[in-house]
Amino acid sequence: GDLFVEWPGAPDDRALGLWAAQQAQAAGVTLRAACEVASVSENGELRTAGGEALRFDAVCNVAGPWAERLLAASGLRSRHHLRLVRGSHLLIDGSLPCGLLVQAPSDNRVCFILPYLGRVMIGTTEVEHPAGEPIRPSDAERDYLIDTWNAYFERRIGASDVRESFAGVRPLIAQPGD
């Protein structure tokens, strides 16, 4: 397969989210942590799982993979529907001087191999994720990413070399026939 080299900054999604929350607070936004939203309405009312009713000039549904579920719980219809796609990642010991974009040997999908917080991150997969299922890498995804690494490096790895693994779910707008 093809190999591309890149020099990215180390991504840290958690740190970026915390920074964005701090910026919002500094601008006067009130944030509530661990406050589950049970429903929203078209007129700006929001109800929490604890039964609290709040009123806003506008409500923006940024529930990500759970956005469609929140609309359904609220009795609101949308012309858009979501596909939930899981992306899994592995962390192994080691270091790299730069990031790589590679093609997975089994299907030629583009994956990445990046230096990440003192380790190497191998990712990502693209698997349909059933709503309500736990968000974690499957053994098949782990093996797919290990095979991708082994196609490009003399240092072969196996499941015992994986120090950590994690997954996230991307909400993609479903297209007709998708």
Side-chain angles (χ1 to χ4, degrees):
D2 294 326
L3 172 76
F4 299 91
V5 178
E6 61 174 81
W7 279 267
D12 187 338
D13 296 342
R14 182 179 183 280
L16 179 60
L18 291 173
W19 174 85
Q22 289 170 344
Q23 298 305 306
Q25 280 182 309
V29 173
T30 300
L31 300 179
R32 291 184 182 207
C35 180
E36 183 180 344
V37 175
S39 67
V40 296
S41 71
E42 290 178 336
N43 67 0
E45 185 175 288
L46 178 147
R47 290 201 176 269
T48 68
E52 184 179 12
L54 304 168
R55 186 100 163 116
F56 299 94
D57 294 334
V59 174
C60 184
N61 182 354
V62 292
W66 302 275
E68 195 167 12
R69 186 170 74 187
L70 176 58
L71 291 176
S74 303
L76 299 174
R77 298 182 63 97
S78 175
R79 63 180 184 201
H80 301 288
H81 296 286
L82 298 179
R83 278 181 56 220
L84 302 183
V85 177
R86 185 176 61 245
S88 292
H89 310 77
L90 308 179
L91 294 180
I92 62 170
D93 289 334
S95 63
L96 291 174
C98 62
L100 306 171
L101 291 176
V102 299
Q103 287 183 290
S106 62
D107 60 6
N108 290 327
R109 271 190 69 257
V110 173
C111 294
F112 55 76
I113 301 174
L114 302 172
Y116 183 78
L117 303 176
R119 289 191 168 150
V120 175
M121 181 192 312
I122 309 166
T124 182
T125 58
E126 189 163 314
V127 176
E128 295 292 325
H129 184 81
E133 289 292 315
I135 302 171
R136 62 176 175 249
S138 68
D139 289 348
E141 288 173 286
R142 180 202 60 213
D143 294 345
Y144 174 89
L145 294 171
I146 288 171
D147 290 346
T148 299
W149 169 278
N150 288 336
Y152 292 94
F153 290 90
E154 289 180 12
R155 175 187 150 213
R156 299 191 58 81
I157 63 170
S160 63
D161 294 297
V162 176
R163 298 296 171 240
E164 291 180 56
S165 63
F166 58 93
V169 174
R170 297 184 294 272
L172 304 177
I173 301 291
Q175 300 298 318
D178 212 0

